[in-house]
Amino acid sequence: MTTFGYFLSSEEHDPRELVRQARLAEQAGFESLWISDHFHPWLDEQGQSPFVWSVIGAIAEATSLPITTAVTCPLVRIHPAIIAQAAATSAVLTGGRFRLGVGTGEALNEHIIDSRWPPAEERLEMLEEAVEIMRELWSGKLVTHRGTHYDVDTARLYTLPDSPPPIYMSGFGEKSVELAGRIADGYICTGPSAEFVQRFHDSGGQGKPVQGGLKVCYAADEATARKTVHRLWPTQGIQGEAAQLLPLPRHFEQLAQMVTEEEASKGSPCGPDPEVHLKAIREYVDAGFDEVYVSQIGDEQEAFFDFYAKEVLPRLR
């Protein structure tokens, strides 16, 4: 049976607010949490981007919900050995309720360390090697690694959970989905693609969990909600590879000027009609997703949680 979680937006909210929303999500009946991992927001208008590992530590004490990063890039900005330590500590703090979501990242977050942004094929190679390193370190053994992309010299993790955290991999193209099926413990996608779910299963992911997520905007009327989406997430209407390649929020703002309100809100249910929200979420259920995560765009968080607790989650179940 599909479970339903809340997607915490690190781009929109400061760390204290994210912890507060995690509590509200649990009270409203959501069963798990996603949290984004960014150095920059997509737009200055979004306004935030706290360090995700500190926030996860606070959430671990504030709720009993499972937490997945959606997603961490263990390639450039932070070495995979350090991500391995952060994930292991998070798994201990949460009592084994932490899942490490990984992906090949965006220049927006990673260029701050190295202005050279590797092409997609190379980033997939880097991710496969990074996953290998992290799993080696979670064994508790002394690790020395001399690889194509990374070196590790006599490193050992001393703080480890009883079981290594599962690694879920994000993928939006054939090669990345197939790699996820081969090396990951689960798959992450932000669109209701039955094709990608099937490809993941066919590539070695049969029986492994699949997580999906979407952004919504509850408001008293649909027009207000659409305006909020267009103001905060016009990037949803930007097509192609720009999301992986552009290095600064101002570049996304320049492209976003060409995105209409309709294009920005196309994939996000807006307004107070529960049927609109249910229809969008059920697309993920029908596509074979095991877990679906919902993120409320904007500041009307209490109203959103009340709406979902009373009008949406009961009908999904």
Side-chain angles (χ1 to χ4, degrees):
M1 182 180 291
T2 306
T3 61
F4 303 97
Y6 187 67
F7 184 2
L8 296 162
S9 176
S10 298
E11 300 93 324
E12 287 186 63
H13 304 289
D14 71 35
R16 289 180 179 273
E17 174 61 16
L18 292 169
V19 175
R20 189 182 76 92
Q21 289 176 21
R23 290 194 192 98
L24 291 173
E26 186 167 34
Q27 292 165 9
F30 286 98
E31 296 159 277
S32 49
L33 299 168
W34 263 11
I35 185 166
S36 53
D37 179 2
H38 273 247
F39 189 87
H40 292 139
W42 297 97
L43 306 170
D44 286 346
E45 180 68 23
Q46 292 171 346
Q48 293 290 334
S49 207
F51 188 56
V52 73
W53 301 105
S54 302
V55 182
I56 289 170
I59 290 171
E61 292 300 301
T63 81
S64 61
L65 298 181
I67 307 169
T68 305
T69 52
V71 294
T72 292
C73 177
L75 304 189
V76 178
R77 174 168 47 113
I78 304 180
H79 191 282
I82 306 304
I83 297 296
Q85 185 184 30
T89 298
S90 296
V92 171
L93 283 170
T94 58
R97 292 178 283 112
F98 177 75
R99 284 85 61 91
L100 177 63
V102 299
T104 55
E106 303 94 13
L108 176 71
N109 301 303
E110 307 305 311
H111 84 276
I112 62 164
I113 298 300
D114 187 349
S115 60
R116 176 188 174 269
W117 183 233
E121 193 118 350
E122 184 177 343
R123 298 203 311 274
L124 284 173
E125 290 178 7
M126 294 170 74
L127 184 57
E128 184 169 5
E129 186 176 339
V131 168
E132 177 189 345
I133 290 168
M134 291 188 291
R135 285 187 171 139
E136 278 190 89
L137 285 164
W138 291 335
S139 72
K141 298 176 182 176
L142 193 68
V143 173
T144 294
H145 175 93
R146 300 281 182 259
T148 304
H149 301 286
Y150 302 105
D151 289 337
V152 178
D153 184 63
T154 54
R156 178 184 170 189
L157 292 180
Y158 282 81
T159 299
L160 291 166
D162 294 335
S163 299
I167 294 176
Y168 290 15
M169 180 180 158
S170 169
F172 305 102
E174 292 183 6
K175 291 181 180 178
S176 60
V177 177
E178 289 170 2
L179 180 62
R182 183 161 57 83
I183 71 169
D185 303 305
Y187 173 55
I188 290 174
C189 188
T190 54
S193 174
E195 178 188 349
F196 283 169
V197 172
Q198 189 60 52
R199 185 176 292 276
F200 171 71
H201 288 158
D202 292 344
S203 302
Q206 192 65 43
K208 298 176 182 178
V210 176
Q211 299 180 337
L214 71 159
K215 296 185 184 300
V216 309
C217 190
Y218 170 81
D221 63 88
E222 183 179 342
T224 299
R226 288 184 178 277
K227 284 182 172 58
T228 298
V229 174
H230 191 224
R231 176 173 63 85
L232 289 170
W233 287 93
T235 50
Q236 294 189 133
I238 297 174
Q239 304 298 314
E241 297 179 72
Q244 283 75 50
L245 301 178
L246 298 178
L248 289 172
R250 72 166 183 259
H251 300 141
F252 287 96
E253 287 164 3
Q254 290 161 9
L255 279 184
Q257 292 174 10
M258 297 181 281
V259 176
T260 66
E261 185 178 292
E262 181 181 0
E263 290 168 338
S265 59
K266 185 178 180 181
S268 292
C270 290
D273 184 349
E275 290 301 325
V276 173
H277 293 254
L278 288 163
K279 181 177 182 293
I281 295 168
R282 283 173 178 151
E283 289 182 12
Y284 286 82
V285 177
D286 294 342
F289 286 77
D290 302 292
E291 303 172 31
V292 183
Y293 292 81
V294 180
S295 180
Q296 161 72 357
I297 295 173
D299 295 327
E300 292 196 42
Q301 297 295 324
E302 287 87 352
F304 162 83
F305 285 117
D306 184 63
F307 170 63
Y308 262 66
K310 294 176 180 176
E311 303 289 344
V312 179
L313 292 177
R315 299 192 203 186
L316 288 169
R317 294 171 178 138

